[in-house]
Amino acid sequence: MTPRIRTLATFVLLALTIGLFPLAQSASAVSDCKKAKGNLSVVNNFNGTTSGTITQAGRLNGTTQSIFTSAFTPTPDPNTFSFTDDLTVTTNKGVLKTHNVGIFDLATGLFSAINRIDPNASTGDFAGATGVLYINGKTTDGGATFQAEITGEICFANRDRDDN
């Protein structure tokens, strides 16, 4: 893998990780589940991290930081690579942390990630929350920036919080 492809793959992985995304309910989750949907805009910091913002997502509106936890790994498709990363979403309601697995297609710039919420690392309204976010997006500038949609479901553990 060339250094350019490795760098692009790393950035895509980070973007996917940051892209916080659709959540699937955990079997152990409480019944206070809410749909998640919003837009993610990410910048590749070219140091194994990305940073960005989530908008039009209600309580998930905030800033993001992703840290890649693996290199891009080849798949059977020569243009597609897998990666892992950890995403932190900082909102005015608390911090949501996820562990992510993503794929990135170098030929098209498309990426997708499954983000599993970490109930032990999240804080505020998100403390104890479970669920899965899905991030789907694209880069049109070779991996410097990424735009994505986040969908999913968050199941909240703390019923004393407000729903705003």
Side-chain angles (χ1 to χ4, degrees), residues 14-32:
L14 178 59
L16 289 179
T17 299
I18 292 179
L20 269 194
F21 1 147
L23 305 173
Q25 180 177 348
S26 166
S28 65
V30 295
S31 63
D32 190 13

Side-chain angles (χ1 to χ4, degrees), residues 21-30 33-34 36 96-100 114-119 122 126 128-134 151-157:
F21 1 147
L23 305 173
Q25 180 177 348
S26 166
S28 65
V30 295
C33 298
K34 303 292 181 190
L96 181 72
K97 298 229 179 199
T98 68
H99 304 292
N100 316 316
I114 297 171
N115 299 28
R116 291 180 183 90
I117 296 172
D118 185 336
S122 300
F126 303 106
T130 59
V132 177
L133 296 173
Y134 304 93
T151 61
E153 187 174 70
I154 301 172
C155 296
F156 294 91

Side-chain angles (χ1 to χ4, degrees), residues 26-86:
S26 166
S28 65
V30 295
S31 63
D32 190 13
C33 298
K34 303 292 181 190
K35 297 267 184 211
K37 184 171 181 170
N39 297 314
L40 175 66
S41 180
V42 174
V43 173
N44 184 347
N45 298 320
F46 296 98
N47 63 359
T49 70
T50 63
S51 53
T53 57
I54 295 174
T55 59
Q56 299 179 351
R59 74 183 82 205
L60 277 181
N61 286 346
T63 61
T64 65
Q65 171 104 29
S66 288
I67 299 171
F68 288 99
T69 57
S70 74
F72 274 32
T73 304
T75 69
D77 180 328
N79 292 315
T80 304
F81 295 84
S82 66
F83 62 91
T84 60
D85 68 311
D86 290 336

